[in-house]
Amino acid sequence: MTDPTSPARTGGRPSGAGLLAVSSALLAMSRPLEVRDVLKTIVASARELLDAEYAALGVPDDHGGFAQFVVDGVSDAQWKAIGPLPRQHGILAAMLHDDHPQRLADVREDPRFGGWPDAHPEMSDFLGLPIRDGDRTIGALYLANKRCPKPEGSCGFTEADEELLSILAQHAAIALTNARLYERSRELTIAEERSRLAHELHDAVSQKLFSLRLTAQAATALVDRDPHRAKEELHQVAALAAEAAEELRAAVVELRPAAQEEALLRVAQEALHNALRHSGGAHVDVALEKKGSGAVLTVRDDGSGFDPDATREAGRHLGLVSMRDRAGGVGGRLTVHAEPGRGTTIEMEVPGG
């Protein structure tokens, strides 16, 4: 039976708030993201949609373990203390080898339960579901500890929760497949760009270096019998060397801005998504300004804001770690200005090429 107190259900059907939550989750997963970002988005969406304390998503490898295992609701310190990624055993393996969902009142009482590492948080009620692409399982969603509006313990996951997670898992399969295709297309684009640059370097710089060698040989032959002409040839050598260096520098600069532009775009997307989904504000301003040879991206909303120092979970939930990683990856810096009731400003500064 469905739980009438479920925030996403009213009379067995999604309420207005529930439909909005489902829509927000599906829109979040439909954005063009890399695989790791898609996994984080799916986990955060599942946890928020089903009002669970913990959520995880495992992507299996070919050696009995997980290639990736993303969690939400567990602090960085806890996750580090837990240790290596889990193996495919016990209840975790059930969703990878069985296409049926697993809904348990207490996972610790299941005969397949094998215990947790010492630093692992305590979990009781449990809901797990495979993510399938056709007849192939490409991952599994795990949720634990359904939050209860009443003070007397956990509510437990319901049939309605299972239905919602099933919908989410179907869209997660599409999002994950698209993310892998997106990464593959980026790899092909990079390979094509490298090939293009190799041809340009060969056609331009190599010709300059060939001319440089011939001019240097001519100068060597003229040193004894015509010093004046030898001096002219050496001047030409210097000019050709400068041209070659400039073309090499231009080729390197042409490579660098692409990565910076990609990082700026992804951070802008993430910050806009957060502002539209979480801030509750009426306005969002986006600005991209030149600063020296670099650039500064600013995304500012007039929403509810948050306390980045006191609310560690807010940073994880809003993807600030991922945005900082992107900024750092191109030698940039991400700054967050936020205060409860006074909106949020995300600023990313990247250096020039």
Side-chain angles (χ1 to χ4, degrees):
M1 293 180 64
T2 58
D3 180 0
T5 66
S6 173
R9 291 272 163 169
T10 301
R13 294 184 178 182
S15 65
L19 285 173
L20 181 60
V22 173
S23 175
S24 297
L26 300 186
L27 285 173
M29 290 190 299
S30 67
R31 292 176 296 151
L33 298 173
E34 296 174 359
V35 171
R36 183 74 180 179
D37 293 328
V38 166
L39 297 178
K40 291 178 180 178
T41 302
I42 293 170
V43 170
S45 298
R47 181 179 169 223
E48 180 179 4
L49 187 60
L50 274 72
D51 204 17
E53 189 175 359
Y54 303 108
L57 193 160
V59 176
D61 60 18
D62 297 325
H63 310 289
F66 287 96
Q68 293 175 297
F69 198 87
V70 178
V71 299
D72 197 59
V74 177
S75 71
D76 292 334
Q78 280 180 302
W79 185 238
K80 185 176 181 180
I82 287 171
L85 293 181
R87 305 291 297 172
Q88 297 175 28
H89 62 82
I91 197 66
L92 294 183
M95 271 67 67
L96 297 175
H97 305 294
D98 187 349
D99 59 0
H100 294 92
Q102 301 286 325
R103 182 156 49 98
L104 307 172
D106 192 334
V107 67
R108 296 165 297 186
E109 296 179 1
D110 189 275
R112 295 165 294 185
F113 178 68
W116 290 308
D118 293 338
H120 199 285
E122 284 296 316
M123 299 179 182
S124 54
D125 45 304
F126 175 89
L127 176 61
L129 199 74
I131 299 174
R132 296 179 64 80
D133 180 16
D135 58 355
R136 185 169 62 99
T137 298
I138 60 176
L141 274 166
Y142 311 100
L143 286 90
N145 294 17
K146 172 84 172 182
R147 290 192 179 96
C148 186
K150 302 174 183 178
E152 57 270 16
S154 173
C155 297
F157 293 100
T158 66
E159 183 180 347
D161 292 326
E162 188 178 309
E163 292 174 9
L164 280 175
L165 191 61
S166 177
I167 294 171
L168 195 69
Q170 293 173 43
H171 286 271
I174 297 172
L176 188 54
T177 300
N178 287 344
R180 286 173 171 167
L181 290 173
Y182 168 72
E183 285 194 352
R184 179 58 180 158
S185 69
R186 283 191 61 201
E187 291 171 3
L188 292 174
T189 300
I190 291 171
E192 291 171 357
E193 184 68 5
R194 285 176 175 171
S195 177
R196 183 185 69 82
L197 283 173
H199 282 93
E200 286 189 2
L201 287 171
H202 179 271
D203 294 341
V205 180
S206 294
Q207 290 180 16
K208 283 285 190 306
L209 293 176
F210 180 71
S211 298
L212 184 65
R213 187 179 67 177
L214 290 180
T215 306
Q217 289 174 344
T220 301
L222 291 168
V223 166
D224 294 329
R225 59 187 176 87
D226 194 342
H228 179 72
R229 282 192 59 192
K231 185 177 181 180
E232 291 178 348
E233 293 294 330
L234 288 174
H235 283 307
Q236 183 65 18
V237 167
L240 288 170
E243 290 177 11
E246 179 60 25
E247 292 190 10
L248 279 171
R249 189 196 68 80
V252 172
V253 169
E254 187 178 351
L255 277 176
R256 293 185 64 183
Q260 290 174 352
E261 291 166 7
E262 175 80 10
L264 285 166
L265 175 62
R266 297 308 172 200
V267 169
Q269 287 179 324
E270 186 69 32
L272 276 171
H273 170 72
N274 288 337
L276 295 173
R277 187 179 184 189
H278 300 293
S279 76
H283 300 91
V284 182
D285 296 319
V286 180
L288 181 62
E289 300 174 330
K290 185 175 178 61
K291 184 174 181 181
S293 59
V296 177
L297 167 73
T298 306
V299 180
R300 180 183 294 107
D301 68 67
D302 59 357
S304 58
F306 66 98
D307 185 346
D309 295 324
T311 314
R312 183 185 186 90
E313 184 60 28
R316 291 174 58 80
H317 186 67
L318 296 175
L320 297 181
V321 173
S322 175
M323 286 192 278
R324 285 196 174 97
D325 287 346
R326 286 189 181 279
V330 293
R333 177 172 55 90
L334 188 91
T335 306
V336 180
H337 305 280
E339 187 176 337
R342 303 192 66 177
T344 301
T345 299
I346 304 292
E347 185 178 277
M348 176 180 173
E349 182 176 347
V350 295

